[in-house]
Amino acid sequence: MLRKGLAMAVGILMAVPAFGADTIKVGASQPLTGRFAFAGVQLNQGLADVFAWINENGGIKGRKIEYIFEDSGYQVDRAVAVFKKIMAEHKPPMFYGESTGQGKALAPEITKTYKILYGSTSFSSELANPEKYPYTFVSGPTYSDMFGVLLEYIAKNPKGGKPTVAFFYSDTEFGKDPIPYARKKAKELGVDVVAEIVTKVGAVDVTSEVLELVKKKPQYVIIHGFVLSPIPQVIRGSKDYGLDISFMGTFWSMSQMIIDKLGEDADGYMGINPYAYYYETDVPMIQKIRAFNQKAHPDVKHRPNSYLQGWFTGMVFAKCAEICLENGWEITGDNLVKALESIRDWDVGGLMPPVTFVNHKVPVGRVYRADAAKKRFVPVSDWIRLQ
């Protein structure tokens, strides 16, 4: 029933492999429907594919990975119920959750009762706190780290005089997450924060927000807490006033959707991505991912960065299990966390630079700029690793 959910979600019928008792299980509650489904379907497929790829290549020390998931609809109550159902029926030592909300809701029970390694879609700064969330990890930089990377780029690339920036974020927990850190980081780097503009997700009339940018004239604007709207409205409104501003986004607003939505106005839009893009065909791991997709999904021509987040997170689960087996440790949550914390300079084939987990996160990213004619993002910095 659970794997049937995958077939329905992605519109592709997949063979159901037979698993023995000695499999390594990974559970997941995935937002395959609901308002986050645009990313959830791809995240889920990335996880399913990387586990299939690992199994095809011998598994983990000969043991196969069994992926068990169910649609949670991007609803915290439903996601918690899915988690408890899968834990009761399958007892996986690793689990992937659908949101920051689910991670926070389950944290006390994961810490006291379940004691499993837990990753998710979230880049929440709060979740990357081993003291408060000892079994949780973030499979990349947190939102605070993303601001840190962008501010370091801005500090090194002023557009005349002292660098200036405005923070433009949504009035949600997601939008506000990195702001306290960003204020502190900007001050440390000598970047003036000339405005903070807060608005609703999906806002259409952004006239007052654009007039604030006209008044403050920042060199850069970092936009966070949105996926699409009101980003196009703000960028086009600023261009109408003749403003020379470089707009930057964080992970969820750095997919192909934003380029498609902006069209030629995407030119110059910038932001951070912690993973190589699917079209960076010189990256060895991207070559392997593309080869797998050509075989397993021959009709698929592109994969967004959410798919690559799923793929990388699956690599992390597998790496932790591999470290356990290499050391003769039982695959339990406590040993998987110990394995995670031991990862240093792990070569992931260029999907990211060599990976070192620091406080259960990977504080690194690269700045990309949109090329509207090519309909893709191109790197404009090397990998920037925060200390």
Side-chain angles (χ1 to χ4, degrees):
M1 180 63 73
L2 299 178
R3 295 186 192 98
K4 182 180 178 182
L6 172 63
M8 292 174 64
V10 301
I12 297 170
L13 288 175
M14 297 180 67
V16 179
F19 292 103
D22 201 31
T23 60
I24 298 170
K25 297 179 180 179
V26 179
S29 51
Q30 290 282 15
L32 302 178
T33 57
R35 63 187 176 89
F36 200 62
F38 73 93
V41 169
Q42 293 291 338
L43 288 159
N44 186 56
Q45 194 64 63
L47 276 162
D49 283 355
V50 71
F51 294 146
W53 175 70
I54 290 170
N55 286 342
E56 283 182 4
N57 287 278
I60 304 172
K61 304 293 182 184
R63 293 176 63 176
K64 303 291 186 184
I65 303 174
E66 183 177 2
Y67 182 45
I68 306 152
F69 70 91
E70 191 168 338
D71 180 20
S72 50
Y74 203 56
Q75 301 171 37
V76 172
D77 289 350
R78 186 174 165 187
V80 169
V82 168
F83 171 86
K84 292 186 176 182
K85 177 185 174 186
I86 291 176
M87 291 305 301
E89 293 179 357
H90 301 278
K91 297 179 175 57
M94 296 176 273
F95 201 94
Y96 184 86
E98 67 153 31
S99 65
T100 301
Q102 184 189 7
K104 289 183 178 180
L106 285 170
E109 290 182 86
I110 289 175
T111 301
K112 294 179 181 177
T113 305
Y114 292 105
K115 300 181 185 297
I116 57 167
L117 184 64
Y118 183 88
S120 75
T121 63
S122 179
F123 296 97
S124 165
S125 305
E126 184 178 344
L127 292 179
N129 180 348
E131 292 186 4
K132 188 173 181 180
Y133 301 96
Y135 294 92
T136 299
F137 72 95
V138 174
S139 51
T142 64
Y143 296 126
S144 291
D145 296 328
M146 294 181 196
F147 265 69
V149 167
L150 293 175
L151 287 167
E152 289 209 0
Y153 177 87
I154 291 169
K156 293 177 181 176
N157 295 276
K159 297 163 71 176
K162 190 174 183 179
T164 61
V165 65
F167 299 154
F168 190 114
Y169 52 96
S170 66
D171 62 347
T172 62
E173 182 180 10
F174 169 33
K176 297 172 185 174
D177 174 300
I179 302 306
Y181 169 85
R183 293 175 187 140
K184 180 182 176 184
K185 183 71 174 179
K187 187 175 182 180
E188 289 175 359
L189 293 169
V191 177
D192 278 352
V193 181
V194 297
E196 288 191 25
I197 301 171
V198 187
T199 192
K200 295 180 180 178
V201 174
V204 175
D205 183 0
V206 291
T207 304
S208 62
E209 288 87 349
V210 172
L211 289 175
E212 182 69 5
L213 295 178
V214 172
K215 181 180 176 183
K216 298 298 177 62
K217 293 183 172 53
Q219 297 169 10
Y220 294 88
V221 174
I222 301 178
I223 303 176
H224 175 70
F226 313 97
V227 176
L228 280 175
S229 186
I231 298 173
Q233 293 89 337
V234 173
I235 291 176
R236 286 172 176 147
S238 299
K239 287 189 174 183
D240 289 343
Y241 278 97
L243 298 179
D244 180 21
I245 295 175
S246 294
F247 288 91
M248 305 174 119
T250 51
F251 180 77
W252 296 113
S253 56
M254 285 296 289
S255 73
Q256 198 66 28
M257 284 195 306
I258 194 76
I259 293 180
D260 294 341
K261 186 70 175 179
L262 280 165
E264 62 182 17
D265 288 328
D267 246 348
Y269 175 73
M270 305 170 73
I272 175 177
N273 195 33
Y275 320 110
Y277 280 98
Y278 193 70
Y279 37 67
E280 292 185 72
T281 54
D282 60 331
V283 175
M285 182 55 69
I286 292 294
Q287 292 170 1
K288 293 177 181 177
I289 295 170
R290 291 176 69 94
F292 178 88
N293 271 271
Q294 286 168 7
K295 181 177 64 176
H297 315 291
D299 295 333
V300 172
K301 303 303 178 188
H302 178 70
R303 290 294 191 185
N305 53 357
S306 51
Y307 174 91
L308 296 167
Q309 199 257 21
W311 184 285
F312 175 70
T313 306
M315 289 179 67
V316 174
F317 283 134
K319 180 65 174 178
C320 291
E322 182 184 53
I323 291 172
C324 285
L325 294 177
E326 286 176 345
N327 288 279
W329 303 339
E330 185 181 356
I331 299 179
T332 64
D334 286 311
N335 285 335
L336 289 163
V337 169
K338 185 164 63 173
L340 179 86
E341 293 174 344
S342 75
I343 293 175
R344 296 285 184 277
D345 297 323
W346 172 32
D347 182 356
V348 293
L351 185 57
M352 298 179 79
V355 169
T356 296
F357 273 88
V358 179
N359 292 327
H360 291 196
K361 62 179 182 174
V362 188
V364 67
R366 174 180 273 178
V367 179
Y368 286 80
R369 178 186 290 130
D371 184 323
K374 295 180 180 177
K375 296 184 177 181
R376 62 177 54 186
F377 289 101
V378 295
V380 293
S381 81
D382 202 346
W383 294 104
I384 298 174
R385 192 184 299 272
L386 299 181
Q387 300 301 314

